[in-house]
Amino acid sequence: MASRNLFSIPTISTSQITLSPFPRRLAITARSHRRRRPPDRRDMSSIVSIPELPRRRDSEESLLLDSRISVAEGDTADVEGVRDGSVRTQTRKGRNFSSRNKVLGVELSPDNFAVAMVYFVQGVLGLARLAVSFYLKDDLHLDPAETAVITGLSSLPWLVKPLYGFISDSVPLFGYRRRSYLVLSGLLGAFSWSLMAGFVDSKYSAASCILLGSLSVAFSDVVVDSMVVERARGESQSVSGSLQSLCWGSSAFGGIVSSYFSGSLVESYGVRFVFGVTALLPLITSAVAVLVNEQRVVRPMPGQKENITLVNPGFLQTSKQNMIQLWSAIKQTNVFLPTLFIFLWQATPHSDSAMFYFTTNKLGFTPEFLGRVKLVTSIASLLGVGLYNGFLKTVPLRKIFLVTTIFGTGLGMTQVLLVTGFNRQLGISDEWFAIGDSLILTVLAQASFMPVLVLAARLCPEGMEATLFATLMSISNGGSVLGGLMGAGLTQVFGITRDSFDNLSTLIILCNLSSLLPLPLLGLLPKDSPETVGNKDDADIEMKSN
């Protein structure tokens, strides 16, 4: 849908791509991989058959198991007996403590606290979003088209998220598959924002630093999502849903907090100060990584050489098997065609960068006011999720996409009223019109994006839910990036600069009408409604929005 938020730099989502590396995050919790229900009880709209491939072990953790030292069966039994007794004792001692320390139904153990804090950091990193926008516009004096190009390039790390999962799962770093990568991701993010705070002085260096920050968030996102998958595996639907609520709530709370302070800090202290404060936030991810409850990968026996490079045979074999399975799933018609529609639906151009320049240079909107608008849109995202869950879950996918796209196109045209000043003739100030317009468009955009998550979840076959879901979301993100780049090209063609907005109305109309182009391809989507998947899928989908 081409109707977008007026003031946020495009985000990788239904409607926009952010200048900062903090797009919407989408993840899916894997169901139990140990004993699964037969496919006919899953009630999916499409069952994807995956050809059998030779595997070294039945478990996904075969690579990790191969690196462990074998233990005699008798010793194993003794260890298990001692551990079983200690677990029962600890359970009796900690039962009352656990019942008193729960958040959203989840025990607030150090491990779960670390997961929640990583999600919170990913939400609160939106603090620098407005600062980046004003820095590119005012300090580097870039035109809207150049800003949109930097935005698209900085979002590239989000297009290869499955690769990060392969690396984290197959290549333990310093003996850990999760802790080490969380620490490095936090340090990388702090490094990139520190450079933005003190050394960056050109568009090329700025693009490089934003790219590093985006890589930091994307990698930590994959790692923490895999941790949630591991914890949810084998748990009941209630426990799994509570864990997802904690993760999503932490991210949403961080996004709301950052929206409230982002504009006022830029106006009071400047963009460099905001970059410096933002540089401290990723260090929280590095700090809480030590709380992650992860078993250290056992080193090889004395005399055996330890190979931790990316070219070790185990990594290559596992990656090859995963890629074969992934391609076997995507190339099937009932997966490929809906995925193609999602990509095309996201790949429509938009005019967010041009509108940001217009509202700040022409209308004189201050950073503090834009921060208030961001706060409103953050809350509006929650309202959009509630709208979908309350009224649209039983509506067929085709009808949802059709109605939301048509309504979004019509409502997106209201931006022309702001550009032409017609709203003032109606007695509505620019500020109030902007707030109301952004609120309505954000609610509709968020509600229209929920079916994308449901559709992606339905397309994932048994045994590779997380990998395929991440791949589908990467494809969707790729469509958003392409839409942003096309928007940058149209901005350049229409001659819209930081001071010239004569053809902005034409650009807005063209971008909104382009969102109607994918509608003839609605036949690529399944006919049945999301509810036919069953209520279990609703608990398995993690819907997070900054």
Side-chain angles (χ1 to χ4, degrees), residues 296-311:
R296 183 180 178 89
V297 177
V298 180
R299 293 179 177 274
M301 293 290 292
Q304 295 181 355
K305 183 178 179 180
E306 181 179 15
N307 188 359
I308 60 173
T309 64
L310 290 177
V311 296

Side-chain angles (χ1 to χ4, degrees), residues 182-508:
L182 284 180
V183 171
L184 290 182
S185 296
L187 294 177
L188 180 61
F191 175 72
S192 64
W193 288 111
S194 297
L195 293 180
M196 289 289 292
F199 301 97
V200 171
D201 57 0
S202 68
K203 60 182 178 182
Y204 299 106
S205 57
S208 300
C209 289
I210 296 174
L211 184 68
L212 287 178
S214 180
L215 174 63
S216 166
V217 179
F219 209 117
S220 65
D221 177 51
V222 172
V223 173
V224 75
D225 283 343
S226 65
M227 294 168 58
V228 174
V229 168
E230 293 169 351
R231 281 147 186 76
R233 182 179 300 146
E235 298 289 352
S236 65
Q237 176 177 332
S238 175
V239 174
S240 178
S242 298
L243 183 60
Q244 299 305 323
S245 298
L246 176 63
C247 299
W248 185 88
S250 301
S251 178
F253 178 70
I256 292 175
V257 170
S258 66
S259 298
Y260 181 79
F261 291 104
S262 59
S264 58
L265 288 178
V266 170
E267 186 164 341
S268 301
Y269 300 100
V271 295
R272 297 283 188 178
F273 175 84
V274 176
F275 293 153
V277 174
T278 306
L280 301 176
L281 300 177
L283 297 178
I284 300 177
T285 298
S286 300
V288 299
V290 299
L291 302 177
V292 174
N293 183 19
E294 180 184 4
Q295 184 178 2
R296 183 180 178 89
V297 177
V298 180
R299 293 179 177 274
M301 293 290 292
Q304 295 181 355
K305 183 178 179 180
E306 181 179 15
N307 188 359
I308 60 173
T309 64
L310 290 177
V311 296
N312 73 76
F315 174 78
L316 294 179
Q317 182 178 354
T318 303
S319 299
K320 181 180 179 180
Q321 291 179 0
N322 289 334
M323 293 302 296
I324 293 175
Q325 280 190 312
L326 196 58
W327 173 243
S328 299
I330 293 178
K331 72 179 182 180
Q332 299 189 50
T333 303
N334 52 2
V335 175
F336 176 77
L337 294 182
T339 303
L340 176 62
F341 176 83
I342 292 177
F343 176 83
L344 296 176
W345 188 67
Q346 292 281 65
T348 55
H350 53 76
S351 55
D352 289 357
S353 295
M355 281 301 299
F356 173 78
Y357 276 72
F358 174 78
T359 55
T360 53
N361 290 356
K362 189 72 173 180
L363 301 183
F365 287 178
T366 64
E368 183 178 4
F369 174 75
L370 294 181
R372 295 174 185 174
V373 175
K374 286 178 59 61
L375 176 61
V376 171
T377 55
S378 296
I379 299 175
S381 295
L382 303 180
L383 297 179
V385 175
L387 174 64
Y388 173 79
N389 288 330
F391 302 99
L392 301 178
K393 286 196 299 184
T394 58
V395 180
L397 289 173
R398 296 182 181 182
K399 183 176 294 186
I400 293 179
F401 281 111
L402 176 63
V403 173
T404 56
T405 301
I406 293 177
F407 271 92
T409 300
L411 292 174
M413 296 295 185
T414 58
Q415 296 180 356
V416 177
L417 303 180
L418 187 64
V419 173
T420 59
F422 186 75
N423 60 287
R424 291 189 293 271
Q425 299 181 21
L426 300 176
I428 306 175
S429 66
D430 293 336
E431 289 78 5
W432 280 109
F433 186 88
I435 291 177
D437 190 55
S438 298
L439 175 64
I440 296 174
L441 291 178
T442 303
V443 171
L444 184 62
Q446 187 67 41
S448 66
F449 194 71
M450 295 299 102
V452 176
L453 303 180
V454 176
L455 178 61
R458 297 170 61 184
L459 299 177
C460 296
E462 291 282 343
M464 57 181 309
E465 296 94 334
T467 301
L468 183 56
F469 189 90
T471 302
L472 295 178
M473 290 300 99
S474 296
I475 295 174
S476 175
N477 292 340
S480 296
V481 172
L482 179 60
L485 294 178
M486 288 193 297
L490 291 176
T491 302
Q492 185 72 25
V493 168
F494 284 106
I496 299 174
T497 64
R498 54 186 297 110
D499 300 314
S500 176
F501 306 100
D502 295 336
N503 296 321
L504 180 56
S505 298
T506 305
L507 176 65
I508 294 173

Side-chain angles (χ1 to χ4, degrees), residues 107-162:
E107 178 186 348
L108 199 61
S109 62
D111 200 41
N112 291 333
F113 176 77
V115 171
M117 286 304 299
V118 173
Y119 280 110
F120 171 79
V121 170
Q122 293 182 1
V124 81
L125 280 174
L127 179 70
R129 190 171 300 156
L130 272 180
V132 170
S133 303
F134 278 99
Y135 176 74
L136 297 178
K137 180 179 74 74
D138 296 334
D139 292 48
L140 299 183
H141 307 289
L142 301 183
D143 287 330
E146 294 177 297
T147 298
V149 170
I150 292 179
T151 296
L153 296 178
S154 66
S155 303
L156 292 179
W158 289 88
L159 307 185
V160 290
K161 288 179 63 177

